[in-house]
């Protein structure tokens, strides 16, 4: 992956890409740049991260040379409540990007995991910075496994992880993916929420599945029915209640493990 190889694929883009060798976390660094005034469309990509972060305070293992560690800063002009669906929009955009770059389309495990078969290909961590009740900026962080082989993954996640290389049987060019990710995010239309949610529902493998909902120590079993207009997961609990789960502090799993 080189900056030239990425930029040569983006002749019409107004976004500005920087490629770094090593950072703690592209999201952490870009949030700092955002506070210093970095403009809409600033993109940071790193070859490796020493402190990659996932949702719910988890670590995102980010070894050098094999993964895509990507963050983009956007400055939408709206209230935070209007952005509840941002992670959903990003997930659909990332399915488009992987499909354009590598020729296969991942599915989405609600809310923010990209999966192929029963394994995780990547994840999304969106972070908002507020300024007087408005969204000052949002940092969209995306990690995608590209050239890992099965044994490259830590034993603890090995049965649940996959990479583009494992799916295609050959190494992939990360610059191609990076450019498609920029194109998809730059083209993302947050104003047409219903159209985006239709696409999200069609990519979301969680719908129709039996799920367990983990909130702290509490676990509830349910069937996933729908995605609501805020991107929440509508479920029928085994008690018969219909409930909507929001992504915040909750993790949703299939009954038999990750999916
Ligand atoms: C998850 O799976 O919970 C989300 C993972 C998000 C990882 C990406 S890698 C680039 C960016 N920098 C980070 O520290 N995290 C995101």
């Amino acid at each position: 992956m080189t900056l030239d190889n990425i930029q040569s694929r983006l002749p019409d883009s107004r976004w500005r890409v920087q490629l770094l060798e090593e950072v703690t976390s592209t999201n952490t660094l870009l949030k700092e740049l955002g506070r210093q005034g970095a403009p809409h469309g600033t993109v940071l990509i790193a070859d490796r991260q020493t402190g990659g972060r996932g949702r719910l305070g988890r670590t995102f293992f980010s070894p050098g040379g094999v993964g895509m560690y990507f963050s983009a800063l956007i400055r939408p002009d709206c209230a935070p409540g209007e952005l509840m669906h941002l992670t959903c929009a990003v997930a659909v955009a990332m399915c488009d990007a992987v499909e354009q770059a590598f020729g296969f389309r991942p599915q989405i495990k609600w809310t923010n995991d990209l999966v192929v078969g029963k394994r995780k290909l990547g994840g999304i961590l969106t972070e908002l910075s507020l300024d007087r009740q408005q969204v000052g900026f949002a940092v969209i962080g995306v990690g995608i496994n590209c050239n890992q082989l099965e044994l490259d993954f830590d034993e603890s996640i090995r049965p649940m992880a996959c990479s583009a290389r494992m799916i295609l049987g050959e190494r992939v060019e990360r610059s191609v993916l990076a450019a498609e990710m920029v194109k998809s995010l730059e083209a993302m239309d947050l104003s047409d929420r219903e159209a985006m949610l239709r696409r999200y529902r069609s990519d979301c493998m969680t719908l129709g599945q039996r799920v367990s909902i983990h909130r702290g120590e509490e676990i509830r079993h349910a069937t996933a029915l729908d995605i609501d207009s805020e991107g929440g997961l509508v479920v029928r609990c085994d008690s018969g209640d219909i409930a909507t789960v929001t992504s915040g502090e909750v993790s949703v799993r299939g009954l038999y493990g990750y999916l």
Side-chain angles (χ1 to χ4, degrees):
M1 177 165 61
T2 67
L3 191 56
D4 273 356
N5 278 344
I6 299 170
Q7 279 173 336
S8 63
R9 292 179 160 83
L10 294 170
D12 303 321
S13 175
R14 299 167 69 92
W15 286 24
R16 287 289 152 262
V17 180
Q18 296 173 51
L19 179 62
L20 305 166
E21 196 147 308
E22 179 182 293
V23 293
T24 49
S25 151
T26 52
N27 262 34
T28 305
L29 180 53
L30 194 50
K31 279 199 294 181
E32 183 51 43
L33 297 180
R35 286 189 282 270
Q36 293 168 18
H40 177 88
T42 303
V43 175
L44 289 187
I45 300 173
D47 185 60
R48 64 178 169 274
Q49 298 184 117
T50 53
R53 297 184 288 110
R55 271 183 68 236
L56 306 175
R58 295 181 185 132
T59 298
F60 190 80
F61 183 53
S62 311
V66 288
M68 172 59 60
Y69 316 117
F70 175 110
S71 297
L73 184 144
I74 60 170
R75 291 187 180 275
D77 186 14
C78 60
E82 293 166 43
L83 274 182
M84 297 295 282
H85 60 301
L86 176 61
T87 300
C88 294
V90 171
V92 173
M94 292 303 95
C95 288
D96 291 342
V98 170
E99 187 172 23
Q100 285 298 320
F102 300 147
F104 66 88
R105 188 170 187 88
Q107 288 186 294
I108 300 165
K109 174 182 173 282
W110 182 86
T111 16
N112 70 330
D113 281 353
L114 303 183
V115 299
V116 176
K118 292 201 175 304
R119 290 170 177 236
K120 175 163 170 168
L121 179 75
I124 297 162
L125 175 67
T126 308
E127 300 184 283
L128 297 185
S129 164
L130 303 183
D131 182 8
R132 275 164 279 146
Q133 309 308 317
Q134 288 293 106
V135 178
F137 60 84
V139 167
I140 297 164
V142 186
I144 296 183
N145 302 324
C146 291
N147 282 318
Q148 288 91 338
L149 292 170
E150 181 134 11
L151 289 178
D152 294 330
F153 291 108
D154 187 79
E155 239 172 284
S156 58
I157 57 167
R158 198 172 291 156
M160 297 169 278
C162 70
S163 69
R165 180 179 184 181
M166 287 163 63
I167 291 155
L168 295 173
E170 59 186 10
R171 286 187 70 84
V172 295
E173 174 50 67
R174 287 179 296 163
S175 304
V176 176
L177 177 61
E180 293 301 334
M181 289 166 77
V182 172
K183 282 189 217 167
S184 289
L185 289 177
E186 196 170 357
M188 190 169 67
D189 178 5
L190 291 172
S191 66
D192 194 350
R193 187 191 296 210
E194 273 315 313
M196 180 281 292
L197 285 170
R198 272 195 298 277
R199 299 192 70 210
Y200 185 91
R201 289 184 189 105
S202 118
D203 282 325
C204 182
M205 52 74 56
T206 309
L207 295 182
Q209 299 282 314
R210 297 280 298 146
V211 293
S212 60
I213 300 159
H214 299 243
R215 185 181 277 114
E217 295 295 293
E218 184 203 355
I219 301 178
R220 281 192 302 166
H221 291 166
T223 303
L225 301 179
D226 198 6
I227 306 294
D228 76 5
S229 60
E230 307 291 343
L233 183 68
V234 182
V235 297
R236 186 190 305 108
C237 301
D238 287 2
S239 60
D241 297 347
I242 303 288
T244 301
V245 185
T246 52
S247 62
E249 293 304 307
V250 176
S251 104
V252 168
R253 302 184 202 148
L255 289 189
Y256 304 106
Y258 168 61
L259 287 180

